Amino acid sequence: MPKSLDVLVVRHGPGRGRLGEYWGDFWSYLRESRPGIFARLRFAETGGSLPELEGVGAVLFLLGDPLRDLYPECYDFAVQLRDMAIARGVRVFQEPEALARFGRRSQYSAWREHGIPTPRVDTFGSTAHLRRLASEFGRPFLLRADHGHSQRDIRLVRDD
């Protein structure tokens, strides 16, 4: 019978990324209620040395996006680790490039390119550019950062 392989979970190291204890409750649940499964998990953090892949069957990247734009050192770490994994025939989930494309503007473009209806999204670099876009958008519209998933700092624009 072949030996079972572990899953390497890659997270942001201390002081890197915005995710903190991402999935922390889930890991605690697994540790307590499914110790056999938890024992098959290994964890690596960006900012450290690249982990060994001996006995690893899959690598799962749980890193903040857009990875390349916001956390370039973590992106570089993930790319190196991904390349090592692929060279060894280890399966990779949530590749670094996939985590690098999730700004609202790039997601809008990808959806439109594939015929998925979505409200218009655009970015601006100055107040004058924002005013020009606002005149094209009509009202109301949402004003928010291109990156991030929370509802902080979102504004509903109803008038000039």
Side-chain angles (χ1 to χ4, degrees):
M1 179 175 215
K3 181 184 182 298
S4 296
L5 298 174
D6 292 341
V7 175
L8 177 67
V9 178
V10 182
R11 303 181 293 184
H12 287 290
R16 297 172 182 271
R18 70 178 185 282
L19 299 176
E21 279 298 312
Y22 189 58
W23 282 25
D25 291 339
F26 177 70
W27 306 131
S28 296
Y29 166 80
L30 275 184
R31 185 182 305 111
E32 294 168 15
S33 66
R34 306 295 297 266
I37 293 175
F38 188 79
R40 305 253 327 272
L41 299 177
R42 298 184 199 177
F43 295 90
E45 295 181 332
T46 61
S49 57
L50 291 168
E52 292 293 324
L53 295 176
E54 187 65 37
V56 171
V59 176
L60 170 63
F61 290 100
L62 294 181
L63 301 169
D65 60 7
L67 189 61
R68 184 177 38 229
D69 293 346
L70 298 182
Y71 315 108
E73 291 175 357
C74 298
Y75 175 77
D76 292 342
F77 177 94
V79 167
Q80 289 178 43
L81 181 54
R82 185 270 323 271
D83 291 348
M84 281 176 38
I86 290 173
R88 294 185 67 137
V90 174
R91 294 188 70 185
V92 175
F93 297 92
Q94 293 205 130
E95 292 207 22
E97 288 80 9
L99 293 171
R101 294 192 294 258
F102 284 104
R104 286 179 178 76
R105 175 70 181 155
S106 59
Q107 195 64 44
Y108 162 81
S109 297
W111 287 8
R112 294 296 293 213
E113 180 181 316
H114 290 90
I116 300 170
T118 185
R120 181 174 168 198
V121 174
D122 217 324
T123 57
F124 61 92
S126 68
T127 302
H129 188 192
L130 172 59
R131 289 184 191 283
R132 191 169 50 255
L133 288 172
S135 69
E136 296 171 15
F137 270 53
R139 304 294 185 281
F141 68 88
L142 297 175
L143 182 63
R144 66 186 302 180
D146 191 36
H147 304 108
H149 296 289
S150 67
Q151 297 299 316
R152 286 177 302 191
D153 300 324
I154 189 170
R155 300 290 184 262
L156 175 63
V157 178
R158 294 184 174 135
D159 55 41
D160 291 343

